[in-house]
Structures are given as C-alpha cells and as structure tokens.
Amino acid sequence: LVFASQPHSLLGFRGLIFTPASGEFPEDGESAFGYRNIRVPHTFIKWSDKTTENHLFFGSLVLLPKLDITGVITLAPGSHGNDGTDTYKDFALFAHIQLLEESKPFPSIMLGIHDFYSYSYYNALFLASSKLIELNPSIQINTHLAYGVDWMDQHYGDTGPDRDAQVNHYLVGLFGGMEMFYRNYGSFIIEYDTHQINFGMRLNLFNSCQVTAVLLQMDTFSFGVDYRFSLL
C-alpha cells in the first residue's frame, strides 16, 4: 500500500524533490496544503546577502480529474518586498495535465507548466513519464524521466516594468529520479534536476500527514510538512 497517489515535492507540486513526476495520477478532488523551507544557496528568490532562506506555503487540488493545480506563496525574508517590508512575497501557479495513464507496456505521460504567470521564478515547461516497478508486496519503486524546454520567454500578467525582463527557467534538459516506497511507512528519493543530485526521505504520519527531509546537492538540508484530504 502506497501513501497517496503521488507525494508532493519540495516546491509543493506533486513530484520528487525539485522535479515533477507523473506516476499514478491523484483522484478527482484530492487536495493538500503544506509548508516548505529551502535554504541558500538553493533558494529560488534571493535579492540580497541577507536572504538566507525561502518559506513556501502551498495548496493543491485535482480537477476533471486529469488536471492538477498547485498554488505556492513564497516568502523571502531579507529581500526587499514590493510592499515596503524586508520580506519579498511571490505567488506562483503550477499545472500538471495527464496525457496518458500508465499501463503494463507503457509509462504514464504528463505535460507540466510551472509558474507561467507573473514573475516566473519557478518557470518550467516539460513532458514527464513514470513507470511503477513492484519488487514485492512491501516495496514499490516509481521511476521518472522527463525533458524540459525554455520556450516561455516572456512574463505574462501584471509585472509592470519587469514584463520584458529575462524569464528564470529551471528543469531545462533531461532530468528524473526514483522513489522507493516501503509499505505505508514512507519512502526514499534520489533525483537529478538537470544540474545536481538531491536525496531525501518521507515519513507518513497519522494517515494524512507527511514529513519530508532532503539534502540538496547532498549538502544543504531542507524540509517540509503537508496535510492531505479529499473534497469529495
């Protein structure tokens, strides 16, 4: 028994650590919210040397049921904000669309569009595939392989004078990884996010809560916690 259809990544969307994963797509109405902490040098928002970490608060919802939408609010203390405070604030949207369900001969295929609106700190456009390997009734391995491009070269939405500024891209090129689940207790993760190797583990608590702990580039600790529920 695997805990939920696909766990949430360090950025809030369903995936491994920094990389997305299609896998078994969640059921319609499946929702979650949670918190993530990312420290330098792996923060996505950093405007000064005083910025040491990013705090991410996310919420997600599966619709239709082939569309997975995640909203992420990022707080970057130590970076000057547009509201006059010393904390920069950003809101990002992530969308995953299942194109093909996994079958015995074929992997699942998913289209992903990340942070396509506003300032685009997490911008990515990619196709991802996943395949489940069941070693025995207690151990399952989800393998993931994807390719991303940097085709989105402008800011959409209200960005004021920054509309024509360079768009930040990540996940450009080949990336992927695997997650090994042990019953319903948790999992171990390893991934390559196009430029570094990350390692992590998840621990399932009380059937609805999950704690994630990771080492980014095998040397910087980050963590998160989330709560899952269904609206249906």
Side-chain angles (χ1 to χ4, degrees):
L1 177 63
V2 175
F3 181 82
S5 304
Q6 177 61 55
H8 292 263
S9 70
L10 198 62
L11 298 182
F13 57 82
R14 286 178 174 83
L16 299 178
I17 298 173
F18 278 152
T19 63
S22 55
E24 180 184 351
F25 213 73
E27 296 181 358
D28 193 11
E30 186 173 313
S31 305
F33 61 85
Y35 166 78
R36 300 289 189 262
N37 178 275
I38 303 176
R39 303 189 64 82
V40 295
H42 302 286
T43 55
F44 281 73
I45 301 177
K46 183 177 183 293
W47 287 106
S48 75
D49 292 338
K50 296 180 180 180
T51 306
T52 60
E53 59 187 341
N54 283 178
H55 302 281
L56 281 67
F57 301 87
F58 77 88
S60 70
L61 174 64
V62 178
L63 305 168
L64 302 181
K66 304 297 184 182
L67 175 63
D68 183 10
I69 297 290
T70 301
V72 178
I73 295 174
T74 303
L75 305 182
S79 294
H80 182 68
N82 53 12
D83 57 355
T85 68
D86 289 330
T87 299
Y88 187 90
K89 304 170 183 67
D90 177 73
F91 177 71
L93 284 174
F94 302 77
H96 292 170
I97 304 169
Q98 186 183 46
L99 302 179
L100 180 67
E101 291 185 18
E102 181 179 344
S103 60
K104 196 168 185 179
F106 299 109
S108 61
I109 298 178
M110 179 184 74
L111 171 66
I113 306 173
H114 287 182
D115 204 2
F116 48 88
Y117 189 79
S118 190
Y119 290 94
S120 304
Y121 292 102
Y122 306 97
N123 184 269
L125 177 63
F126 58 86
L127 280 176
S129 65
S130 298
K131 198 77 173 71
L132 177 66
I133 301 172
E134 186 171 344
L135 299 182
N136 56 56
S138 298
I139 299 177
Q140 293 181 335
I141 298 177
N142 264 339
T143 60
H144 309 284
L145 186 65
Y147 189 82
V149 297
D150 57 354
W151 292 350
M152 301 173 68
D153 58 358
Q154 71 178 57
H155 296 273
Y156 300 95
D158 183 15
T159 57
D162 298 320
R163 183 175 181 84
D164 296 325
Q166 181 180 355
V167 176
N168 296 319
H169 296 288
Y170 90 114
L171 300 180
V172 178
L174 193 66
F175 59 90
M178 63 178 61
E179 182 166 10
M180 183 178 71
F181 297 88
Y182 179 70
R183 295 186 177 178
N184 200 36
Y185 299 128
S187 61
F188 294 94
I189 316 157
I190 188 168
E191 70 168 16
Y192 174 69
D193 65 6
T194 72
H195 70 280
Q196 67 186 32
I197 295 176
N198 306 312
F199 173 81
M201 63 179 298
R202 308 188 209 268
L203 180 63
N204 303 327
L205 305 172
F206 314 119
N207 294 325
S208 298
C209 295
Q210 189 170 70
V211 176
T212 301
V214 306
L215 283 177
L216 301 176
Q217 206 168 358
M218 306 302 288
D219 61 10
T220 303
F221 177 74
S222 291
F223 69 92
V225 60
D226 48 88
Y227 177 80
R228 306 180 188 203
F229 58 98
S230 177
L231 295 179
L232 302 180

